[in-house]
Amino acid sequence: MRPMPRTLVLAGLMTMLFLYLPIIILIGLSFNASTMGVAWKGFSVHWYQKLLADSSIVDATVNSLVIGGTSTACALLLGLGAAIGLEKWRGRPSSWMNTLIVLPLVIPEILMGVALLMAFVLLQVPLGFGSIIIGHMVFNLPLTVVILRARLRKLDPAWEDAARDLGATSWNVLTGITLPMLRPAIVGAALLSFTVSLDDFVVTFFVAGPGSTTLPLKVFSMIKTGMTPEVNALSAIMVVVSMVCVGLSWLFQQQTPSSLINNDQSS
Amino acid sequence: MTNPHNPIMLPLWSLLLLGVGLLIGGCSDSSSSSPSGTADPPRLHYYTWSDYVDPEILAAFEASRGVRVVVDTFSSNEELLAKVQTGMIGYDVVVPSDFMAGIMGRLGLLAELDLSRIPHVKDLERHLTHLPFDSTQQFAIPYLWGTVGIGYNAVVVTEVPTSWDVLWDPQYSGRISMLNDQREVFGLALKSLGHSLNSRDTQFIQQAKERLIRQKPLVKAYTSEQFDQLLVSGDVVLAHAWGGPVARAMREDPSIRYAIPQEGGTIWTDCLAVLASSKQKELAMDFMNFLLSEPVALQTSKRLLFASANRHVRNQLPPEIRNNIAVYPPDEVLPRMEWMEDVQEATRDYDRAWTELKVH
Amino acid sequence: MPPPTHSWPLPLKCSFWAAGVFLLLFFVLPLMMVFGVSLASRGLYGGVEWIATFDNYRRLADPLIGVIFLRSLFFASMTTIACGVIGFPLAYMVARASHRWQLVLLMLVMIPFWTNFLVRTYAWILILRADGLVNGVLLRLGIQSEPLSLLFTDFAVAIGLIYGYLPFMVLPLIVAIERISPQLEEAAYDLYASMGAMFRHVVLPLSKPGFMAGGVLVFIPSLGAFITPYLLGGGQKMMIGTLIQQEFLVSRDWPFGSALSFGLMGSALMLWFLVSRTALGKDLP
């Protein structure tokens, strides 16, 4: 296979650099002794100490992770059914359902936040973890469906037909053929959903309740009242943790026997 | 036939299990467990500005009463009102700013205070005892107070600003910042034209708008929370500012000063109040009293550089804080300052004028 | 024609209908409520008074609102196009990477976005400030003698928006490009196509679903964005998202805010409909 065009790779790497520039700044400044401003005033781990002592930030981070994981998992469960179902079900009602599913992505977040708040008040749902998870799912579900469908559309139905002809039950077809072929899309959808959930501010802002402050809410209030470098330290930690996860998953990939047909990129 | 070694199912199942596990963990996590394992101590829900949280003070209160204080924070009065108005919020003590306390009181969102439980109300500064929105501390008690003025870099702005007009001075073009607050900005313009900052007169509001539109090319940014950093970084040499953040910026850069123009400006106070829906009203009032007590108020003022509503704190503060006009405005300035009030129907006029200003 | 559910396994059926119910309850219902509010009037202290009126929608015809909307439209379009251009090389690189590297690269792309959006946007302030990184480098290298005023400009807002929404373009593109068989590219080369022609006639057209999905995910939210303009724009220019937030939170005019939101949603929908039908063709929803 021909190597990729050099200009393309260069452009791609520069984009990577662009992505990481603020991160590098944040990590650098997290060791800056100065309380405000960019001027370097000496190396210090003071902010890390302050961060770990600040239970409200730690709580908020844990809340965000829990909410992120849950809403991603639930959105994936519902989204798989919705995406696969919509692909197989051609016809007018299907396109209505499709529009309905994709609509949340078109709604301005602030409208969604206000709308959910009104609905929760009407349905007497107490604001807290549950309300935030639901709020996040309203966005994650369409996101998952869109990504899954983009991939599903290109799948060759011949594989599934062949499997059925060979006597596989519909469950086998699903788990043995469809889902494996969807794997990159599932991973992509999960990653994006988790990221969106972790970062969500607007909807969370409206539907959060006592004791369920998430990281973005906490950070926003810290920024509003004079950003302290503790948050830089937090960002640095999050980046390092993510990189450790990447390293681990890479190791995991090395050990998994690749026995599937879909390992070959052309399938 | 299902392939038992199908690697796709493994990540999927683990994701599912993870999700369920987190869900269960999350549900039990949201109500933190008490160390003793026996009955949960009573909880007080405190909803306040994000920089007002001092873990030491909260811990002291928790220890002395055997309760738990759960804190959440907000960063604007509107946020507070929006949350409280839904009626789905279980907070006990809240900290609205002056005019917001008035609005919340009129809307019946605040509980009537039993002042016998808050003896420190006797220690309020004189000028805070008869506030326009609540002259008898019926539902709100002042906690911290201050002014809105001009933060400036004395190295660049060599003459001490005496009038709001300095913010229209073309020699500082591109290095001026204004608060991103509709009422504060228009209030400033109205004061500079000799009117009240609570004016409901359409004509005056239009005049203020014209003046502000003329100023706009000189303004680098409209920001309510970055101005202190902009002063320190040098992006801005004149800032429409609240006193406290400027005092904190002074610690970083001694050439930063604070001035209150002779036309006068806003005087503000953040108040402690109890929500009408609170189930812990006595504990809430107890907590308010605790926050207003001298040692606690002293520590708060030292940390935040905001003036305390407790008048006995003033003399116990170190001179560099006590004499800093960004924290404690001089007495002769007080008569010129105005409290911000709800302008009711005129809100629409301000709203439209503000939007027009921003669109230019 | 009813869904051919007879051939589906039970869990899939449940999942499908559960998705539908979920959206009805937590999406359609809330929106209907907001629509109801948009037809009501603002109470004296900012509550909602149930007096029916079309006033709120009439106010949308104000030229002031038109200016605001056009500005937001401009930013959103620029952001989308820029994300497409900047995101494509990276997406191609990741999609065509060997299996070993793919997951690593994918996660490397995602990591910056697992740090908080507000904090990252804030970091741009530190980069663009008068005493920030860019100016520091420019002054040090002698390229400039005075610091550039980069912060609180349209440029700063654009960078912030592009940076914030890039992964929404990159991820769908990766998924779409991955689906393009490399054999097609080989075939093009075998037929003496230059690299440029190969991209133009094979890869780019086949990446369309990726661009479409990414385009929607970038354009719509950036149209209603208000945090980035807030932090990086210095509150100078009013965008539609800022206006809506102002109506809800500051002016407390929920009915008008609701009407504005519906107006925004309606125009976003119309635009998406137009673009998907005309520019990008038939094999799309």
Side-chain angles (χ1 to χ4, degrees), chain A residues 34-36 41 62-63 65-66 69-70 73 76-77 117 121 124-127 129 133 172 175-176 179-180 183 186 190 205-206 208-211 213 220-225 227 260, chain B residues 1-3 5-10 12-13 15-16 19 22-23 26 29-30 45 50-51 70 72-76 79 82-83 86 88-91 224-225 228-229 232 248-249 252:
Chain A
S34 160
T35 42
M36 36 172 105
K41 286 209 182 141
V62 169
N63 289 350
L65 290 173
V66 168
T70 315
L76 205 56
L77 280 176
L117 182 62
V121 171
Q124 293 284 301
V125 173
L127 298 180
F129 271 78
I133 291 174
N172 289 344
T175 59
L179 289 183
R183 191 170 71 163
I186 292 180
F205 175 83
F206 281 100
T213 305
F220 185 68
S221 64
M222 285 176 78
I223 287 184
K224 274 216 139 193
T225 54
M227 169 93 164
L260 280 185
Chain B
M1 204 151 27
T2 325
N3 181 349
H5 300 299
N6 190 334
I8 184 58
M9 295 311 291
L10 185 59
L12 264 187
W13 281 119
L15 194 64
L16 179 60
L22 285 173
L23 187 63
D29 197 76
S30 57
H45 288 277
S50 32
D51 52 349
V70 179
D72 279 303
T73 62
F74 58 86
S75 45
S76 78
E79 204 181 314
K83 284 298 171 89
T86 62
M88 299 302 303
I89 286 290
Y91 293 116
S224 295
E225 53 279 319
D228 49 348
Q229 300 182 47
V232 170
R248 294 198 284 261
E252 286 282 315

Side-chain angles (χ1 to χ4, degrees), chain A residues 5 8 19-20 29 37 77 81 85 89 106-108 151 154 170 195 199 201 224 231 238 246 250 267, chain C residues 1 7-8 15 92 104 107-108 110 113-114 117 119-120 126 129 163 178-179 195 220 227 230 264-265:
Chain A
L8 201 78
L19 284 180
Y20 275 87
L29 282 176
L77 280 176
W89 180 18
V106 185
I107 309 295
R151 173 97 175 181
K154 296 288 183 177
S170 53
T195 305
D199 243 1
F201 174 72
K224 274 216 139 193
V231 185
M238 285 178 78
V246 171
W250 189 74
S267 65
Chain C
M1 197 182 93
S7 63
W8 298 358
S15 161
Y92 188 81
V104 176
M107 294 206 134
L108 277 180
M110 298 308 299
F113 298 94
W114 280 340
F117 170 69
V119 174
R120 276 182 286 121
L126 299 175
R129 241 152 70 154
Y163 187 80
E178 227 241 334
R179 259 278 105 206
M195 205 167 259
I220 308 292
I227 303 239
Y230 179 77
L264 172 63
M265 180 177 91

Side-chain angles (χ1 to χ4, degrees), chain B residues 58-76:
Chain B
L58 296 178
F61 184 75
E62 286 181 332
S64 71
R65 306 287 191 284
V67 299
R68 267 221 67 188
V69 180
V70 179
V71 186
D72 279 303
T73 62
F74 58 86
S75 45
S76 78

Side-chain angles (χ1 to χ4, degrees), chain C residues 116-139:
Chain C
N116 190 270
F117 170 69
L118 290 168
V119 174
R120 276 182 286 121
T121 311
Y122 190 79
W124 278 104
I125 295 181
L126 299 175
I127 296 174
L128 297 173
R129 241 152 70 154
D131 64 344
L133 185 71
V134 173
N135 277 314
V137 167
L138 289 177
L139 288 172

